[in-house]
Amino acid sequence: SKVFINHSNHPSEQWDEAQRKEAESYGPIVDMPFPAVNPNHTSDEVQDMVNLNGEKILQEKPSVVMVQGEFTYTYKMVDFLKKHQIKVVAATSERLVKTLEDGKTKQVEFNFVQFREF
């Protein structure tokens, strides 16, 4: 059966109900943590990471993969997955900022809106 791959630094157990429900409409959620991308890596080294992780993702037979993280890795992973005819999405959210009573401290809340396809 097909699965929803969460390839980000945001474990699905921390998602709100709406995001989890939307993801599960594609199949069970499988968390595949986003790698730490060394800022000193060359483009080729990042591509090697993408190839390695991309093959692991393909083995899971995903219906959809959410990819969010370091920009160059994300771009290369989206390209890799799309070349394998895999639907790739990012989560969109509404950012709500509240200034607390002290006038300085801000509380930021993100409310899931939808998955947007790349």
Side-chain angles (χ1 to χ4, degrees):
S1 68
K2 299 281 190 174
V3 298
F4 180 101
I5 301 284
N6 167 29
H7 193 46
S8 75
N9 287 320
H10 305 280
S12 60
E13 67 265 8
Q14 295 175 5
W15 293 356
D16 66 25
E17 178 76 21
Q19 185 171 359
R20 198 172 5 267
K21 186 175 179 182
E22 180 72 20
E24 289 172 342
S25 73
Y26 295 100
I29 302 169
V30 174
D31 289 325
M32 295 187 78
F34 201 90
V37 179
N38 186 322
N40 294 310
H41 276 1
T42 65
S43 188
D44 288 342
E45 289 171 314
V46 173
Q47 187 64 56
D48 290 344
M49 292 174 70
V50 165
N51 294 342
L52 181 69
N53 289 310
E55 289 300 327
K56 291 177 185 173
I57 288 170
L58 292 177
Q59 288 174 8
E60 296 291 326
K61 305 204 182 322
S63 51
V64 178
V65 180
M66 184 185 87
V67 181
Q68 290 185 222
E70 193 275 341
F71 295 118
T72 59
Y73 177 97
T74 294
Y75 178 86
K76 290 172 182 292
M77 181 59 80
V78 169
D79 184 57
F80 176 94
L81 293 169
K82 289 182 79 62
K83 284 180 179 170
H84 288 88
Q85 288 76 51
I86 303 294
K87 182 176 180 174
V88 188
V89 300
T92 67
S93 59
E94 180 181 33
R95 183 175 185 259
L96 303 173
V97 180
K98 297 176 189 169
T99 302
L100 302 184
E101 290 179 15
D102 66 9
K104 297 177 184 175
T105 308
K106 291 185 179 180
Q107 180 181 14
V108 181
E109 187 179 307
F110 293 93
N111 292 326
F112 173 78
V113 175
Q114 69 171 339
F115 289 114
R116 183 180 299 139
E117 189 169 356
F118 280 95

Short mmCIF file of all heavy atoms in Angstrom, two decimals, residues 44-83:
data_model
loop_
_atom_site.label_atom_id
_atom_site.label_comp_id
_atom_site.label_asym_id
_atom_site.label_seq_id
_atom_site.Cartn_x
_atom_site.Cartn_y
_atom_site.Cartn_z
N ASP A 44 27.72 18.78 -5.65
CA ASP A 44 27.81 17.34 -5.92
C ASP A 44 27.63 16.51 -4.65
O ASP A 44 27.00 15.45 -4.69
CB ASP A 44 29.15 16.99 -6.58
CG ASP A 44 29.25 17.45 -8.02
OD1 ASP A 44 28.19 17.73 -8.64
OD2 ASP A 44 30.39 17.52 -8.54
N GLU A 45 28.17 16.99 -3.53
CA GLU A 45 28.00 16.27 -2.27
C GLU A 45 26.53 16.28 -1.83
O GLU A 45 26.02 15.29 -1.31
CB GLU A 45 28.91 16.86 -1.18
CG GLU A 45 30.36 16.55 -1.40
CD GLU A 45 31.30 17.30 -0.46
OE1 GLU A 45 31.10 18.53 -0.27
OE2 GLU A 45 32.21 16.66 0.08
N VAL A 46 25.86 17.40 -2.05
CA VAL A 46 24.43 17.48 -1.73
C VAL A 46 23.66 16.52 -2.64
O VAL A 46 22.78 15.79 -2.18
CB VAL A 46 23.90 18.93 -1.84
CG1 VAL A 46 22.39 18.96 -1.68
CG2 VAL A 46 24.57 19.83 -0.81
N GLN A 47 24.02 16.46 -3.91
CA GLN A 47 23.35 15.54 -4.84
C GLN A 47 23.56 14.10 -4.40
O GLN A 47 22.63 13.28 -4.50
CB GLN A 47 23.87 15.75 -6.26
CG GLN A 47 23.11 14.94 -7.30
CD GLN A 47 21.65 15.35 -7.41
OE1 GLN A 47 21.35 16.51 -7.65
NE2 GLN A 47 20.72 14.41 -7.23
N ASP A 48 24.74 13.77 -3.90
CA ASP A 48 24.99 12.41 -3.40
C ASP A 48 24.05 12.08 -2.24
O ASP A 48 23.52 10.96 -2.16
CB ASP A 48 26.45 12.25 -2.95
CG ASP A 48 27.43 12.25 -4.11
OD1 ASP A 48 27.00 12.06 -5.28
OD2 ASP A 48 28.64 12.44 -3.85
N MET A 49 23.83 13.04 -1.35
CA MET A 49 22.90 12.84 -0.22
C MET A 49 21.49 12.62 -0.75
O MET A 49 20.75 11.76 -0.26
CB MET A 49 22.90 14.06 0.71
CG MET A 49 24.17 14.28 1.48
SD MET A 49 24.11 15.84 2.42
CE MET A 49 22.91 15.45 3.67
N VAL A 50 21.10 13.42 -1.75
CA VAL A 50 19.77 13.29 -2.35
C VAL A 50 19.61 11.90 -2.97
O VAL A 50 18.59 11.24 -2.77
CB VAL A 50 19.53 14.40 -3.40
CG1 VAL A 50 18.34 14.08 -4.28
CG2 VAL A 50 19.35 15.74 -2.71
N ASN A 51 20.61 11.46 -3.71
CA ASN A 51 20.53 10.14 -4.36
C ASN A 51 20.36 9.03 -3.34
O ASN A 51 19.53 8.13 -3.51
CB ASN A 51 21.75 9.89 -5.24
CG ASN A 51 21.84 10.84 -6.42
OD1 ASN A 51 20.86 11.47 -6.80
ND2 ASN A 51 23.02 10.96 -6.99
N LEU A 52 21.14 9.09 -2.26
CA LEU A 52 21.07 8.08 -1.21
C LEU A 52 19.70 8.08 -0.53
O LEU A 52 19.04 7.05 -0.42
CB LEU A 52 22.18 8.33 -0.18
CG LEU A 52 22.28 7.34 0.97
CD1 LEU A 52 22.74 5.98 0.46
CD2 LEU A 52 23.25 7.85 2.01
N ASN A 53 19.25 9.25 -0.08
CA ASN A 53 17.96 9.35 0.60
C ASN A 53 16.79 9.14 -0.36
O ASN A 53 15.77 8.56 0.02
CB ASN A 53 17.83 10.70 1.32
CG ASN A 53 18.73 10.77 2.53
OD1 ASN A 53 18.74 9.88 3.36
ND2 ASN A 53 19.50 11.83 2.62
N GLY A 54 16.95 9.59 -1.59
CA GLY A 54 15.91 9.40 -2.59
C GLY A 54 15.64 7.93 -2.85
O GLY A 54 14.47 7.52 -2.98
N GLU A 55 16.68 7.13 -2.93
CA GLU A 55 16.50 5.69 -3.13
C GLU A 55 15.76 5.06 -1.95
O GLU A 55 14.90 4.19 -2.14
CB GLU A 55 17.85 5.00 -3.36
CG GLU A 55 18.49 5.31 -4.70
CD GLU A 55 17.64 4.92 -5.91
OE1 GLU A 55 16.90 3.91 -5.84
OE2 GLU A 55 17.70 5.64 -6.94
N LYS A 56 16.08 5.50 -0.73
CA LYS A 56 15.38 4.99 0.46
C LYS A 56 13.90 5.36 0.41
O LYS A 56 13.03 4.57 0.76
CB LYS A 56 16.01 5.53 1.74
CG LYS A 56 17.39 4.99 2.03
CD LYS A 56 17.98 5.63 3.29
CE LYS A 56 19.41 5.19 3.51
NZ LYS A 56 20.05 5.92 4.61
N ILE A 57 13.62 6.59 -0.04
CA ILE A 57 12.23 7.04 -0.16
C ILE A 57 11.50 6.20 -1.20
O ILE A 57 10.38 5.75 -0.97
CB ILE A 57 12.18 8.55 -0.50
CG1 ILE A 57 12.60 9.37 0.73
CG2 ILE A 57 10.78 8.96 -0.97
CD1 ILE A 57 12.82 10.85 0.46
N LEU A 58 12.12 5.97 -2.36
CA LEU A 58 11.48 5.19 -3.41
C LEU A 58 11.15 3.77 -2.95
O LEU A 58 10.14 3.20 -3.36
CB LEU A 58 12.37 5.14 -4.66
CG LEU A 58 12.55 6.46 -5.41
CD1 LEU A 58 13.52 6.26 -6.58
CD2 LEU A 58 11.24 7.02 -5.89
N GLN A 59 11.98 3.20 -2.08
CA GLN A 59 11.73 1.84 -1.57
C GLN A 59 10.44 1.77 -0.77
O GLN A 59 9.83 0.71 -0.66
CB GLN A 59 12.91 1.38 -0.70
CG GLN A 59 14.15 1.05 -1.49
CD GLN A 59 15.35 0.73 -0.61
OE1 GLN A 59 15.22 0.60 0.62
NE2 GLN A 59 16.51 0.62 -1.22
N GLU A 60 10.00 2.90 -0.22
CA GLU A 60 8.76 2.93 0.57
C GLU A 60 7.51 2.99 -0.31
O GLU A 60 6.40 2.92 0.20
CB GLU A 60 8.77 4.13 1.53
CG GLU A 60 9.85 4.08 2.60
CD GLU A 60 9.60 2.98 3.63
OE1 GLU A 60 8.42 2.68 3.95
OE2 GLU A 60 10.60 2.43 4.12
N LYS A 61 7.70 3.15 -1.62
CA LYS A 61 6.59 3.25 -2.58
C LYS A 61 5.58 4.33 -2.17
O LYS A 61 4.40 4.06 -1.96
CB LYS A 61 5.90 1.89 -2.76
CG LYS A 61 6.88 0.79 -3.15
CD LYS A 61 6.19 -0.32 -3.86
CE LYS A 61 7.09 -1.47 -4.23
NZ LYS A 61 8.42 -1.17 -4.68
N PRO A 62 6.06 5.58 -2.08
CA PRO A 62 5.17 6.65 -1.62
C PRO A 62 4.14 7.07 -2.67
O PRO A 62 4.40 7.00 -3.86
CB PRO A 62 6.13 7.80 -1.35
CG PRO A 62 7.25 7.57 -2.32
CD PRO A 62 7.39 6.07 -2.39
N SER A 63 2.98 7.49 -2.18
CA SER A 63 2.01 8.13 -3.06
C SER A 63 2.34 9.62 -3.12
O SER A 63 2.12 10.26 -4.15
CB SER A 63 0.58 7.91 -2.57
OG SER A 63 0.45 8.25 -1.21
N VAL A 64 2.85 10.16 -2.01
CA VAL A 64 3.21 11.57 -1.90
C VAL A 64 4.40 11.70 -0.96
O VAL A 64 4.49 10.96 0.02
CB VAL A 64 2.04 12.41 -1.33
CG1 VAL A 64 2.42 13.86 -1.16
CG2 VAL A 64 0.81 12.30 -2.19
N VAL A 65 5.27 12.68 -1.26
CA VAL A 65 6.38 12.99 -0.35
C VAL A 65 6.34 14.48 -0.04
O VAL A 65 6.30 15.31 -0.96
CB VAL A 65 7.75 12.63 -0.97
CG1 VAL A 65 8.89 12.95 0.01
CG2 VAL A 65 7.80 11.16 -1.38
N MET A 66 6.33 14.81 1.25
CA MET A 66 6.47 16.20 1.66
C MET A 66 7.95 16.44 1.91
O MET A 66 8.57 15.75 2.72
CB MET A 66 5.69 16.48 2.95
CG MET A 66 5.75 17.96 3.34
SD MET A 66 4.97 18.33 4.91
CE MET A 66 6.32 18.02 6.03
N VAL A 67 8.53 17.41 1.18
CA VAL A 67 9.95 17.73 1.33
C VAL A 67 10.06 19.18 1.76
O VAL A 67 9.61 20.08 1.05
CB VAL A 67 10.72 17.52 0.00
CG1 VAL A 67 12.20 17.85 0.19
CG2 VAL A 67 10.56 16.09 -0.51
N GLN A 68 10.65 19.41 2.94
CA GLN A 68 10.86 20.76 3.45
C GLN A 68 12.14 20.80 4.27
O GLN A 68 12.31 19.97 5.16
CB GLN A 68 9.68 21.20 4.31
CG GLN A 68 8.43 21.43 3.51
CD GLN A 68 7.28 21.99 4.31
OE1 GLN A 68 6.16 21.54 4.11
NE2 GLN A 68 7.50 22.94 5.17
N GLY A 69 13.01 21.75 3.93
CA GLY A 69 14.26 21.89 4.67
C GLY A 69 15.23 22.78 3.91
O GLY A 69 14.81 23.66 3.16
N GLU A 70 16.52 22.52 4.07
CA GLU A 70 17.58 23.30 3.43
C GLU A 70 17.28 23.41 1.94
O GLU A 70 16.93 22.43 1.29
CB GLU A 70 18.93 22.63 3.70
CG GLU A 70 20.14 23.47 3.36
CD GLU A 70 20.56 23.37 1.90
OE1 GLU A 70 20.18 22.41 1.21
OE2 GLU A 70 21.26 24.28 1.45
N PHE A 71 17.41 24.61 1.40
CA PHE A 71 16.89 24.92 0.06
C PHE A 71 17.50 24.12 -1.08
O PHE A 71 16.77 23.63 -1.94
CB PHE A 71 17.03 26.42 -0.24
CG PHE A 71 16.20 27.28 0.67
CD1 PHE A 71 16.79 28.19 1.52
CD2 PHE A 71 14.82 27.16 0.70
CE1 PHE A 71 16.04 28.99 2.37
CE2 PHE A 71 14.04 27.95 1.54
CZ PHE A 71 14.66 28.86 2.37
N THR A 72 18.83 24.01 -1.15
CA THR A 72 19.41 23.33 -2.30
C THR A 72 19.12 21.84 -2.28
O THR A 72 18.83 21.24 -3.32
CB THR A 72 20.93 23.57 -2.42
OG1 THR A 72 21.59 23.11 -1.25
CG2 THR A 72 21.22 25.05 -2.63
N TYR A 73 19.16 21.24 -1.09
CA TYR A 73 18.81 19.83 -0.96
C TYR A 73 17.35 19.62 -1.36
O TYR A 73 17.01 18.69 -2.09
CB TYR A 73 19.06 19.35 0.47
CG TYR A 73 18.66 17.91 0.72
CD1 TYR A 73 19.60 16.90 0.67
CD2 TYR A 73 17.35 17.57 1.01
CE1 TYR A 73 19.24 15.57 0.90
CE2 TYR A 73 16.97 16.26 1.23
CZ TYR A 73 17.92 15.27 1.18
OH TYR A 73 17.55 13.96 1.41
N THR A 74 16.47 20.49 -0.87
CA THR A 74 15.04 20.39 -1.19
C THR A 74 14.82 20.45 -2.70
O THR A 74 14.11 19.63 -3.27
CB THR A 74 14.23 21.49 -0.47
OG1 THR A 74 14.29 21.25 0.94
CG2 THR A 74 12.77 21.49 -0.92
N TYR A 75 15.44 21.42 -3.34
CA TYR A 75 15.30 21.57 -4.79
C TYR A 75 15.74 20.29 -5.51
O TYR A 75 15.03 19.78 -6.39
CB TYR A 75 16.12 22.77 -5.29
CG TYR A 75 16.05 22.94 -6.78
CD1 TYR A 75 15.01 23.66 -7.36
CD2 TYR A 75 17.00 22.37 -7.62
CE1 TYR A 75 14.92 23.81 -8.75
CE2 TYR A 75 16.93 22.51 -8.99
CZ TYR A 75 15.89 23.23 -9.55
OH TYR A 75 15.81 23.36 -10.91
N LYS A 76 16.91 19.78 -5.14
CA LYS A 76 17.44 18.58 -5.78
C LYS A 76 16.57 17.35 -5.48
O LYS A 76 16.37 16.50 -6.35
CB LYS A 76 18.89 18.33 -5.35
CG LYS A 76 19.87 19.35 -5.91
CD LYS A 76 21.26 19.17 -5.30
CE LYS A 76 22.24 20.19 -5.79
NZ LYS A 76 22.57 20.05 -7.21
N MET A 77 16.02 17.26 -4.26
CA MET A 77 15.18 16.11 -3.92
C MET A 77 13.85 16.18 -4.67
O MET A 77 13.35 15.16 -5.16
CB MET A 77 14.94 16.04 -2.41
CG MET A 77 14.07 14.85 -1.99
SD MET A 77 14.74 13.21 -2.46
CE MET A 77 15.95 13.00 -1.14
N VAL A 78 13.27 17.36 -4.77
CA VAL A 78 12.03 17.51 -5.53
C VAL A 78 12.27 17.08 -6.97
O VAL A 78 11.49 16.33 -7.56
CB VAL A 78 11.49 18.96 -5.45
CG1 VAL A 78 10.36 19.19 -6.44
CG2 VAL A 78 11.03 19.27 -4.02
N ASP A 79 13.37 17.54 -7.55
CA ASP A 79 13.72 17.17 -8.93
C ASP A 79 13.89 15.65 -9.06
O ASP A 79 13.35 15.03 -9.98
CB ASP A 79 15.01 17.90 -9.33
CG ASP A 79 15.39 17.65 -10.77
OD1 ASP A 79 14.57 17.94 -11.66
OD2 ASP A 79 16.52 17.18 -11.01
N PHE A 80 14.61 15.04 -8.12
CA PHE A 80 14.84 13.59 -8.12
C PHE A 80 13.50 12.84 -8.10
O PHE A 80 13.26 11.93 -8.90
CB PHE A 80 15.68 13.20 -6.90
CG PHE A 80 15.91 11.72 -6.74
CD1 PHE A 80 17.04 11.11 -7.24
CD2 PHE A 80 14.99 10.93 -6.05
CE1 PHE A 80 17.25 9.75 -7.07
CE2 PHE A 80 15.18 9.57 -5.89
CZ PHE A 80 16.32 8.98 -6.41
N LEU A 81 12.63 13.21 -7.17
CA LEU A 81 11.36 12.50 -7.01
C LEU A 81 10.44 12.70 -8.21
O LEU A 81 9.79 11.75 -8.66
CB LEU A 81 10.68 12.92 -5.71
CG LEU A 81 11.42 12.50 -4.43
CD1 LEU A 81 10.81 13.20 -3.23
CD2 LEU A 81 11.42 10.99 -4.26
N LYS A 82 10.38 13.91 -8.72
CA LYS A 82 9.53 14.18 -9.88
C LYS A 82 10.00 13.39 -11.11
O LYS A 82 9.19 12.93 -11.90
CB LYS A 82 9.43 15.68 -10.16
CG LYS A 82 8.60 16.39 -9.08
CD LYS A 82 8.44 17.87 -9.33
CE LYS A 82 7.40 18.22 -10.34
NZ LYS A 82 6.04 17.83 -10.06
N LYS A 83 11.31 13.20 -11.23
CA LYS A 83 11.84 12.38 -12.33
C LYS A 83 11.39 10.92 -12.21
O LYS A 83 11.40 10.18 -13.18
CB LYS A 83 13.35 12.48 -12.40
CG LYS A 83 13.84 13.79 -13.00
CD LYS A 83 15.35 13.87 -13.05
CE LYS A 83 15.78 15.19 -13.68
NZ LYS A 83 17.22 15.43 -13.55
#
